[in-house]
Amino acid sequence: MTKPVLSIQNLSVDYVTDDGPVRAIDNVSLDVMPGEILGVAGESGSGKTTLAKAIMRILQPPAVISGGRVLFEDKDLLQLDEEGLRRLRWTRMSMVFQSAMDALNPVISIGEQIVDTMKVHTDFNSSQARDRAVHLLEMVGIPGDRIDSHAHQLSGGMRQRVGIALALCLEPSLVILDEPTTALDVVVEKEILGEIKELQNKLGFSVMFITHDLERMLQVSDRVAVFYAARLAEIGPAKGLRDNPQHPYTQGLLKAFPSIAPGARTPESIPGSPPSLLSPPSGCRFHPRCSQVVDACSQTRPIRTDLGPGHAAECHLLSQETGAAT
Amino acid sequence: MSQVQGSGVGLWIAAIKRDKKARIGAIILGVFLFIAIFGPWLVEDPDALVGVPLQPPSSAHWLGTTGQGQDVLAQVVVGTRVSLTIGFCVGIGVVLIGALVGITAGYLGGRVDAFLSLLFNVFLVIPGLPLAIVIAAYLPSGPFTLAVVLIVTGWAWNARVLRAQTLTQRKRDFVAAALVAGESKFRIVTREILPTMTSLLVAQVIGSTVYAIGAQVGLEYLGLGDVSAFTWGTNLYWAQNDSALLTGAWWTFVPTGLCVALVAFGLTMLNSGFDEITNPRLQLERAWRKYLTRNKTEATHSTPVVITND
Ligand SMILES: Nc1ncnc2c1ncn2[C@@H]1O[C@H](COP(=O)(O)OP(=O)(O)O)[C@@H](O)[C@H]1O
Ligand SMILES: [Mg+2]
């Protein structure tokens, strides 16, 4: 079996507030395999961005990583010092942020930003770096002659493409995309997602792709992780998850999205709203909204149950079934 | 309750309740305000010749006597009232003028901005203290003159900072939303933009007050004030005039000097406490730093790892 590029084991992340630490990632484990696109889905506030930034150790105060291991290319990122992290960031793992406008420098041309990034980490000279910047921009669908443009001269879609070019310029083995297309219209979104998939095919990097749009995610990802209130509810192959979701929350999410298939059912939303992380519900955090609750749900935390290759979920219904079978 | 809401008095009370620095600052300032308000009734006439000149502190004259044989304590106490009054009037004055000019320039833009910016830039490049000395030398001397001089030479920096702040706020979406909702320019400035600057304005008032007290003491020490008035500055002027340093009569200048330093210290503490309470980022970082210290971890650039097994 191939080794994962990234292996997150029992990771917990807290935000330290005046009222004490708030756990925004709670004991989460997942792997990203080489050349895989792993989708991360979940409602707004479920901890997706926190997870992404915790992996790169770029969460700002008041965040603290409070447990677990993050193995990336055989190194535990939680053990690395500042210098070790600096050497890995962007060269081996990079990130495309939710708002490209905020991630790009407004007073430096996009070409210069790519050139600067390359010159910091490689021994390219200016003209080599510039040639490569043109090449990268064209690869993400921006005409090479836009290289001297500034961020504000570009459309939202183009900015996000620049963000992707910037993330790819040092050929990392893992690229994390945090809702890269949420601010864009669906046509551009579709284009960009297509391009990411194409680039990933060509260059072979692994992708952790975050979005709240489960439907779209199931189309582009190999596997999908579903988060609910700081915990991993279910993770599995995209196809298996779509056709046969096991966790009631995944089932609810899938039902909540409209489908254009002929004869499709009308979307049903999940009743209630996500809990506050300051005082999460006891037991399974989804139980107050779940349509299939049993007694155990409000009492004990469900354990992770393996449901097949690469497929697992945290739900009492599932652990009871397998428990009875064995 | 993790976030402090509201503005004005409520914030101050919250700051003083929760922040040690703010509390220290408030206590120091409270003592001086008490002295400024009630002190002059509790001490002798600072002008009266009460004893032998240059006597060290004794039970009759707690802080000794001046070179003229006046009571030092009485002069320090009466000086507190005048000096603090000038300090706060100038502090509030320069921020008011600075806010008026800076926010108008920033919000209206165009020619108005060009003209007002030119104006405060001119005032900025004129060196403040020398100009103050020149003006103070020509006008009839006295506390009022000093206040005017310090306001004229001190407002430009505040205007510049507030113009910049207004420019950034003006571009925010909530201002656009207010415009769409049909609010008038005046209302947008007073209701939408000003409240976002509360903590900046307070910091400016406090900073300007510290500056005003220092500059006023300096000018009077140089003899540019009314030397027959009783202020901290004239106290120092007379101490120097009577060769206190040469004769080793420390009690004629140390108490006044200490007052100036203490008030500046108290105001600065109050300001940093207020900043911590109104700046949510600092506030959050404080809890975070405490947490790291408790778990013996260093605050690093990268997200710190604090393994807790709970
Ligand atoms: N700086 C912060 N301080 C305190 N809580 C935070 C902070 N940032 C995020 N959180 C909380 O952490 C949770 C997860 O946030 P986030 O990772 O941004 O979610 P997502 O990206 O899934 O929308 C949210 O409930 C949010 O309220
Ligand atoms: Mg997010």
Side-chain angles (χ1 to χ4, degrees):
Chain A
M1 211 180 106
T2 49
K3 269 194 358 192
V5 184
L6 174 75
S7 177
I8 300 169
Q9 299 167 4
N10 307 103
L11 180 70
S12 294
V13 178
D14 289 349
Y15 287 104
V16 181
T17 69
D18 280 352
D19 307 311
V22 175
R23 189 141 290 188
I25 288 291
D26 189 14
N27 206 3
V28 165
S29 302
L30 56 84
D31 289 349
V32 182
M33 306 308 282
E36 179 184 49
I37 300 187
L38 175 78
V40 174
E43 281 161 293
S44 182
S46 55
K48 308 180 296 293
T49 300
T50 305
L51 174 71
K53 292 189 171 171
I55 295 168
M56 297 195 71
R57 301 257 321 257
I58 53 171
L59 277 172
Q60 295 296 303
V64 172
I65 295 173
S66 45
R69 306 208 298 162
V70 178
L71 302 176
F72 175 73
E73 296 185 331
D74 297 324
K75 291 187 194 76
D76 187 347
L77 299 184
L78 304 191
Q79 307 280 340
L80 286 185
D81 60 7
E82 214 71 51
E83 178 56 27
L85 286 167
R86 198 188 65 81
R87 238 179 282 148
L88 284 183
R89 283 190 199 126
W90 228 257
T91 55
R92 303 306 307 149
M93 51 168 26
S94 62
M95 189 161 171
V96 177
F97 295 91
Q98 193 163 346
S99 161
M101 193 65 210
D102 296 338
L104 294 175
N105 189 322
V107 297
I108 302 177
S109 76
I110 55 171
E112 247 176 286
Q113 286 182 64
I114 300 176
V115 168
D116 284 351
T117 310
M118 277 191 283
K119 277 168 59 182
V120 169
H121 294 278
T122 66
D123 43 20
F124 280 10
N125 65 33
S126 294
S127 76
Q128 283 172 319
R130 197 175 155 90
D131 286 348
R132 184 157 159 72
V134 171
H135 175 70
L136 277 164
L137 288 175
E138 281 172 352
M139 207 158 70
V140 295
I142 297 178
D145 57 9
R146 297 302 298 268
I147 185 165
D148 293 317
S149 303
H150 288 74
H152 63 88
Q153 295 167 317
L154 304 175
S155 68
M158 282 174 121
R159 276 179 217 147
Q160 209 53 278
R161 288 186 160 99
V162 174
I164 294 168
L166 206 50
L168 294 179
C169 73
L170 300 168
E171 302 183 340
S173 59
L174 175 69
V175 180
I176 301 176
L177 299 137
D178 187 5
E179 309 211 24
T181 54
T182 300
L184 306 177
D185 64 75
V186 280
V187 178
V188 178
E189 175 182 26
K190 215 166 160 206
E191 263 174 40
I192 291 189
L193 292 183
E195 272 158 23
I196 292 173
K197 205 159 160 103
E198 209 172 286
L199 286 168
Q200 189 261 346
N201 252 329
K202 199 156 76 188
L203 304 173
F205 51 87
S206 305
V207 173
M208 183 176 212
F209 173 62
I210 298 173
T211 172
H212 58 256
D213 184 347
L214 187 58
E215 196 67 24
R216 180 82 67 219
M217 163 164 300
L218 288 169
Q219 291 166 10
V220 297
S221 309
D222 298 312
R223 278 192 313 140
V224 168
V226 179
F227 276 76
Y228 183 76
R231 286 187 190 163
L232 180 62
E234 181 166 4
I235 181 168
K239 189 167 169 5
L241 217 71
R242 176 172 33 205
D243 300 339
N244 194 13
Q246 294 296 311
H247 196 291
Y249 178 61
T250 319
Q251 293 165 1
L253 269 186
L254 284 170
K255 280 197 203 126
F257 281 92
S259 166
I260 50 164
R265 71 231 143 35
T266 47
E268 289 166 45
S269 62
I270 308 171
S273 50
S276 147
L277 293 178
L278 262 178
S279 50
S282 59
C284 170
R285 291 185 171 178
F286 186 59
H287 84 261
R289 298 173 74 188
C290 185
S291 57
Q292 306 167 45
V293 274
V294 295
D295 289 345
C297 296
S298 58
Q299 282 148 25
T300 52
R301 177 180 178 167
I303 51 163
R304 186 180 174 119
T305 313
D306 282 320
L307 302 162
H311 194 167
E314 287 186 1
C315 176
H316 281 299
L317 296 170
L318 304 167
S319 54
Q320 275 169 356
E321 271 168 31
T322 50
T326 48
Chain B
M1 192 196 80
S2 58
Q3 195 83 8
V4 177
Q5 301 287 339
S7 60
V9 181
L11 270 181
W12 285 103
I13 294 173
I16 290 164
K17 264 192 197 152
R18 294 198 7 202
D19 195 88
K20 199 163 38 178
K21 283 192 216 161
R23 211 151 46 225
I24 295 173
I27 291 171
I28 295 178
L29 218 62
V31 170
F32 276 98
L33 284 181
F34 180 86
I35 296 175
I37 296 169
F38 301 106
W41 290 308
L42 306 176
V43 294
E44 308 170 59
D45 176 6
D47 208 10
L49 304 174
V50 292
V52 185
L54 289 180
Q55 287 304 297
S58 64
S59 58
H61 304 288
W62 290 355
L63 293 178
T65 59
T66 69
Q68 324 286 320
Q70 298 146 322
D71 188 65
V72 174
L73 177 65
Q75 294 201 341
V76 172
V77 167
V78 174
T80 302
R81 180 185 275 183
V82 184
S83 291
L84 283 193
T85 309
I86 295 179
F88 278 106
C89 287
V90 173
I92 293 168
V94 293
V95 173
L96 275 183
I97 296 176
L100 194 69
V101 174
I103 295 176
T104 308
Y107 195 74
L108 293 183
R111 279 161 188 245
V112 180
D113 182 25
F115 172 73
L116 292 176
S117 294
L118 179 69
L119 188 69
F120 63 63
N121 280 330
V122 166
F123 271 89
L124 271 179
V125 292
I126 297 174
L129 219 51
L131 177 64
I133 292 174
V134 172
I135 304 177
Y138 276 95
L139 293 180
S141 56
F144 181 74
T145 306
L146 270 183
V148 171
V149 166
L150 292 175
I151 289 177
V152 168
T153 55
W155 63 276
W157 182 249
N158 291 307
R160 194 188 162 105
V161 171
L162 289 169
R163 171 180 173 272
Q165 188 70 12
T166 310
L167 280 180
T168 66
Q169 294 295 333
R170 195 179 68 166
K171 298 217 178 70
R172 298 277 176 88
D173 282 347
F174 69 87
V175 172
L179 265 179
V180 174
E183 290 190 23
S184 71
K185 278 183 176 174
F186 181 75
R187 205 185 142 82
I188 288 176
V189 167
T190 54
R191 288 295 164 86
E192 306 283 344
I193 295 185
L194 260 184
T196 65
M197 302 185 190
T198 317
S199 121
L200 179 62
L201 290 170
V202 168
Q204 288 195 331
V205 168
I206 292 184
S208 304
T209 304
V210 173
Y211 157 78
I213 292 175
Q216 162 211 354
V217 169
L219 288 178
E220 287 173 334
Y221 174 71
L222 296 176
L224 291 164
D226 174 4
V227 293
S228 63
F230 292 98
T231 72
W232 287 344
T234 50
N235 289 352
L236 293 180
Y237 169 80
W238 283 113
Q240 141 83 17
N241 215 32
D242 299 336
S243 313
L245 264 179
L246 291 180
T247 55
W250 55 268
W251 59 89
T252 59
F253 59 87
V254 167
T256 298
L258 214 56
C259 285
V260 176
L262 269 176
V263 167
F265 174 74
L267 282 169
T268 309
M269 293 299 262
L270 198 57
N271 201 12
S272 85
F274 188 77
D275 191 32
E276 254 173 65
I277 213 93
T278 51
N279 183 336
R281 204 180 61 84
L282 275 182
Q283 197 187 331
L284 283 170
E285 271 195 28
R286 193 163 50 139
W288 180 77
R289 277 179 197 285
K290 267 191 198 157
Y291 182 85
L292 292 186
T293 314
R294 199 163 57 238
N295 289 289
K296 301 184 177 54
T297 311
E298 236 180 289
T300 46
H301 192 60
S302 297
T303 318
V305 179
V306 179
I307 304 293
T308 48
N309 295 311
D310 53 357

